[in-house]
Amino acid sequence: TDPAFIRNFCIIAHIDHGKSTLADRMLQVTGIVADRDMRAQYLDRMDIERERGITIKSQAVRMPWEKDGETFALNMIDTPGHVDFTYEVSRSLAACEGAVLLVDAAQGIEAQTLANLYLALENDLEIIPVLNKIDLPAADPDKYAAELANLIGGSPDDVLRVSGKTGVGVDELLDRVVGRVPSPSGDEQAPARAMIFDSVYDSYRGVVTYVRMVDGSLRPRQKVQMMSTTATHELLEIGVSSPEPTPSKGLGVGEVGYLITGVKDVRQSRVGDTVTDSKTPARNALPGYTDPKPMVFSGLYPIDGADYTDLREALDKLKLSDAALAYEPETSVALGFGFRCGFLGLLHLEIVNERLQREFGLDLIATAPSVTYEVTTEDKKSVTVTNPSEFPEGKISSVSEPVVKVGIIAPKDYVGTIMELCQSRRGTLLGMEYLGEERVEIRYSMPLGEIVFDFFDHLKSRTQGYASLDYEPMGEQESDLVKVDILLQGDQVDAFSAIVHREKAYAYGVLMTERLKKLIPRQQFEVPVQAAIGSRIIARESIRAMRKDVLAKCYGGDISRKRKLLEKQKEGKKRMKMVGRVEVPQEAFIAALSGE
Ligand code: GDP
Ligand code: MG
């Protein structure tokens, strides 16, 4: 296709403002999905996306569109809205020249509207402002068109009004995309350069690599080279998603499509790499993506130790389509062999954990999430700690923790309660601005460790769900942080160590000792459960000794009942973990960690 007739755009918005629904209507009005084949959120292919009603992976689709008698090829990329998946969004943006900025006409601008708009502006994209859901009785398009125009400049009349539900305005929107979004530019004669913006493992087809052609072209059977590794492969299939994979005769400048090389090893096709021709390779690779930095860490352990290798393979596969996932092996006294994994946030952790269980059939336990701390000891050694049990022993001179800039948008009546919450999480007010008459954007700097766990839940419940939240890294700060250990009869249980602010150490100690006291069965002897900072005990419970052994109950009882009890005890033993002399069923650890 002549690049003059190609338009590459994405849809960006706050979560739930209707991107996926609008994408559905586009598939329909362009005729690539017949009405009878239509189902809601057509492009959300993963079960977990459909159930939760959220988009996790970006999807690229090619659609034909006629305007003024010419046929254009529109490549549309639907993107996730949640803060944890910003990394997916920023990669999609790099493959586009334009962005449809969608805003719910009954809600107005929210925190991720701003975050995604700034990302699009950084990528020099043409922004097309659109109000969605104008069919809603509560929609107030005049008010929010003014709010949007105020934000991005221009006149409120330039803001399109559509409904992804009824389809109103979708034709005009596609015409506007053709009219406003620049066509891709690139050198047709130059050696091929294609940017890998996504890569997924498909059990039938092997690795499927999604690319945006920048220069030159690629054809089936051509030998290509991955520029970062210089590995060469033959292109077995090349095509476009429309929305089902459709083989084509090749991809030229500006086109978006997929490649299949028959590669099975997921590491061969790295997101951000450049694909070129192996005989006449391009001299310079395209600028890649900076690898995202994991913000939250947690240990993932198979409940059945025999699943360890399966877990490794599953992580390797997930990593291919989720570049933000990081992992390395670790071992724990309480939980055995597993992996320390890095995530962009808690939702990301939750999704990965759920995908491992569902798509790979693994039963897993995740340890309490932790952020990254820089610890300096008194002899001037500096250690990066992502697992609290690795906190250095001995005298510490300083600990620093990651800090984020938090943006919250909410109706003005909630300002007081929001500030109170932020203050209690060690936040520092940075500024406050009115977006319109009733809504305010409040900015705080806050330790990441204070917001990754339950901050959003608290924010939602204090504001009846009216507040939206976004955050971005803002560096590090020194804080008065300590490691709290949990001890069973004097032996440390590594999976329960936590790094917390000194003022919250006591509360954590009491919570965990009480929990473990309830969950760990009695032993032959009394077991003290303690929480300690270094050698100082800050909380203490004890599990009283068992009075009689388990068989005592059935003295005089019939023999088969005794045998059954013994069998049961043996089975239980398999899953027992020893902490010093104390036997703990793994379930107790799992329950304590999940707060059940
Ligand atoms: P996304 O998170 O931006 O992809 O949003 P979705 O497309 O998943 O939509 C979120 C919710 O809004 C769903 O319940 C949709 O049915 C609903 N929705 C989306 N577009 C419209 C619309 O134009 N009108 C109405 N009334 N509801 C809509
Ligand atoms: Mg969606």
Side-chain angles (χ1 to χ4, degrees), residues 13-22 41 44 53-55 78-79 81 102 132-136 162-166:
H14 189 73
I15 194 159
D16 276 349
H17 281 202
K19 294 177 295 292
S20 300
T21 308
L22 178 64
Q41 292 173 294
D44 288 345
I54 58 170
T55 307
D78 181 17
T79 62
L102 205 62
N132 188 31
K133 310 197 188 180
I134 56 161
D135 61 291
L136 284 177
V162 309
S163 164
K165 187 170 175 190
T166 65

Side-chain angles (χ1 to χ4, degrees), residues 109-362:
I109 294 164
E110 295 286 3
Q112 260 99 57
T113 315
L114 294 182
N116 288 321
L117 170 65
Y118 297 145
L119 275 179
L121 291 173
E122 277 166 26
N123 282 276
D124 283 331
L125 302 195
E126 175 72 25
I127 309 289
I128 299 180
V130 179
L131 286 175
N132 188 31
K133 310 197 188 180
I134 56 161
D135 61 291
L136 284 177
D140 192 346
D142 291 339
K143 177 168 146 198
Y144 293 121
E147 199 179 89
L148 252 178
N150 187 27
L151 177 68
I152 60 175
S155 144
D157 298 334
D158 288 339
V159 178
L160 285 176
R161 299 173 181 203
V162 309
S163 164
K165 187 170 175 190
T166 65
V168 168
V170 177
D171 287 19
E172 290 90 323
L173 172 54
L174 292 175
D175 282 347
R176 177 84 48 109
V177 166
V178 169
R180 285 280 179 82
V181 176
S183 54
S185 57
D187 186 346
E188 285 170 56
Q189 307 308 322
R193 290 202 294 177
M195 164 69 96
I196 302 182
F197 68 89
D198 202 0
S199 187
V200 294
Y201 183 80
D202 178 306
S203 40
Y204 300 107
R205 304 191 293 167
V207 177
V208 182
T209 303
Y210 291 89
V211 296
R212 145 89 198 234
M213 289 304 301
V214 175
D215 293 324
S217 59
L218 291 173
R219 268 160 238 302
R221 310 248 73 96
Q222 190 172 341
K223 287 246 171 23
V224 295
Q225 185 184 334
M226 303 293 171
M227 291 191 76
S228 72
T229 60
T230 69
T232 60
H233 307 283
E234 185 179 333
L235 290 182
L236 300 181
E237 186 180 321
I238 185 164
V240 296
S241 311
S242 195
E244 303 312 323
T246 315
S248 76
K249 293 199 199 83
L251 291 177
V253 166
E255 289 190 283
V256 174
Y258 67 88
L259 313 172
I260 293 175
T261 58
V263 165
K264 290 280 179 214
D265 181 2
V266 297
R267 277 162 296 219
Q268 300 261 358
S269 191
R270 217 172 43 81
V271 166
D273 202 355
T274 304
V275 185
T276 189
D277 180 60
S278 75
K279 277 196 231 91
T280 48
R283 195 167 307 148
N284 300 313
L286 297 162
Y289 309 105
T290 40
D291 272 339
K293 218 172 117 212
M295 311 265 269
V296 179
F297 292 81
S298 164
L300 290 186
Y301 290 85
I303 287 183
D304 182 349
D307 286 341
Y308 178 77
T309 354
D310 289 351
L311 175 57
R312 173 190 294 276
E313 274 166 28
L315 285 167
D316 283 348
K317 281 182 185 155
L318 273 191
K319 168 82 183 167
L320 177 73
S321 65
D322 184 351
L325 173 65
Y327 53 94
E328 56 180 54
E330 77 170 1
T331 53
S332 149
V333 177
L335 303 169
F337 291 95
F339 291 89
R340 174 115 306 230
C341 302
F343 306 93
L344 296 179
L346 268 209
L347 179 65
H348 186 210
L349 187 169
E350 222 179 275
I351 300 284
V352 168
N353 199 353
E354 197 170 327
R355 289 185 69 187
L356 287 168
Q357 318 221 8
R358 295 167 66 138
E359 293 169 31
F360 299 91
L362 293 163

